[in-house]
Amino acid sequence: MDGKGSAFWYGFDAITSIACGFLFVFSNYLPMILCFAMCIISCIFAFMFKPYEDPAKKEKLEENGNYIQYFKDLRTAFKNIFKSRRLKALFLFSGMFAALLALRSTVASSLFTEIGVKEEYFGVIFASLTMFSAIASKFQNIFHKALKNRVLTYFSMIFSISLIGIGLTSIFCKNFSIALSIILVFYALQYIIKGPYYTLIKRYLNSFSSPTMATKIYSVNTLIESSFSAVMCYIASRLLDFTTTTYTITILGCVFVIAFVFILDYMRDKIGLKPEEYDKKDINFTEVH
């Protein structure tokens, strides 16, 4: 269900990417105005969603007004989340991979500008690449079955190495057509990985948890992902003060490869085990006192 939803999301993203590229030529502010309008519409839809929590528990909470107890239970759940070695390893990986995705999104337009691609073609390029994510996201279960517990290893290493490939191609290949073709192949690989990744990481985070516990795990993971992304974007911005986008991508690609080697080694005995091989505190979570 999540994979199919993501596929639709990427499809709409591709359509708006095409529109944005051409609208930017007419007015720099028009895409931003339309983006703001979409944010407002999204907020309106968000208020129409039904609560994810158990209705019976929500009703009891509203009747008693015992929000102090609610927050105490929330603190207990968070403490137990961080006692799980399995979840801590997943949080670490998820945070680093979110930083990798944030870096790719941040520097992609800058790279295309640097190598001489016209702005009006940005939308077409990103729309085409996004369709790779849409297709791959719909068939995320194929990746899960084919790669099994090595899926995160393949995703992280291929993505990181492709960054290095993009940087080195931009630096050493002087033929515009050849360089752009190679770069687009590397970006296509990244978008193919990006599509199923979000669905699969949710699947792994959600394993062994109840519906109410899953929301708390997702909250912690979102906080960690945002923190890692913010730090990486800041580091990238500092590097861009001293060097070009191509060298920044190459340097950070090398950093990510090294970082993931250590992270994957740390995850080796904590992720992908059989249920009976896990310690109880790694998969059994207490939500209340």
Side-chain angles (χ1 to χ4, degrees):
M1 183 66 72
D2 187 88
K4 290 179 181 179
S6 296
F8 280 113
W9 185 91
Y10 287 120
F12 284 118
D13 188 31
I15 295 171
T16 55
S17 293
I18 294 174
C20 183
F22 288 101
L23 289 172
F24 187 81
V25 177
F26 294 103
S27 171
N28 297 352
Y29 294 100
L30 191 54
M32 289 189 284
I33 293 170
L34 291 174
C35 182
F36 181 62
M38 294 296 177
C39 288
I40 294 174
I41 294 171
S42 298
C43 286
I44 294 172
F45 277 126
F47 277 109
M48 297 167 66
F49 291 156
K50 294 182 179 179
Y52 184 75
E53 293 82 4
D54 186 342
K57 292 182 179 180
K58 188 175 187 297
E59 183 179 353
K60 183 178 179 181
L61 177 65
E62 290 175 345
E63 288 177 356
N64 298 335
N66 194 5
Y67 286 97
I68 295 176
Q69 184 61 43
Y70 170 78
F71 284 110
K72 284 183 179 179
D73 294 341
L74 188 65
R75 185 174 62 180
T76 300
F78 276 23
K79 283 182 179 179
N80 281 280
I81 286 172
F82 283 106
K83 286 180 181 178
S84 170
R85 298 190 311 152
R86 176 182 169 276
L87 281 180
K88 285 192 289 187
L90 279 173
F91 289 150
L92 180 60
F93 180 92
S94 180
M96 186 58 69
F97 204 89
L100 182 60
L101 291 171
L103 171 69
R104 194 267 311 156
S105 300
T106 302
V107 300
S109 297
S110 176
L111 175 68
F112 285 139
T113 301
E114 200 169 280
I115 64 176
V117 179
K118 293 182 179 179
E119 286 84 355
E120 54 264 36
Y121 297 123
F122 283 16
V124 177
I125 292 173
F126 287 122
S128 301
L129 292 171
T130 300
M131 290 310 297
F132 284 103
S133 290
I135 296 169
S137 177
K138 188 174 182 180
F139 298 103
Q140 50 82 26
N141 205 41
I142 294 176
F143 289 91
H144 175 70
K145 289 182 178 179
L147 301 177
K148 301 186 186 314
N149 60 350
R150 306 290 293 175
V151 64
L152 296 182
T153 300
Y154 282 108
F155 278 10
S156 58
M157 297 310 295
I158 292 174
F159 205 114
S160 302
I161 292 171
S162 68
L163 270 184
I164 300 174
I166 290 170
L168 293 178
T169 301
S170 304
I171 294 169
F172 295 110
C173 187
K174 302 304 179 184
N175 185 293
F176 173 77
S177 299
I178 296 175
L180 182 60
S181 299
I182 296 173
I183 289 170
L184 289 178
V185 169
F186 281 124
Y187 271 124
L189 279 173
Q190 293 181 1
Y191 275 79
I192 289 171
I193 291 171
K194 176 186 174 184
Y197 168 74
Y198 283 116
T199 299
L200 290 175
I201 195 65
K202 288 178 185 176
R203 182 175 187 165
Y204 301 149
L205 288 167
N206 189 47
S207 298
F208 309 112
S209 67
S210 63
T212 53
M213 195 66 183
T215 59
K216 298 176 179 68
I217 292 172
Y218 293 154
S219 297
V220 174
N221 188 59
T222 300
L223 177 62
I224 292 171
E225 286 184 343
S226 301
S227 301
F228 273 66
S229 299
V231 171
M232 184 51 60
C233 287
Y234 175 76
I235 292 172
S237 68
R238 299 303 300 169
L239 281 173
L240 288 169
D241 285 338
F242 301 102
T243 187
T244 61
T245 305
T246 53
Y247 281 101
T248 297
I249 291 175
T250 306
I251 293 169
L252 291 178
C254 294
V255 170
F256 276 112
V257 168
I258 296 170
F260 277 119
V261 167
F262 284 103
I263 291 173
L264 292 169
D265 183 65
Y266 172 73
M267 293 169 60
R268 191 184 304 275
D269 61 342
K270 302 174 181 65
I271 306 294
L273 307 178
K274 296 179 180 179
E276 61 271 16
E277 294 177 332
Y278 283 108
D279 191 289
K280 286 186 177 181
K281 65 181 180 182
D282 289 334
I283 58 175
N284 295 330
F285 308 107
T286 303
E287 299 184 53
V288 296
H289 288 284

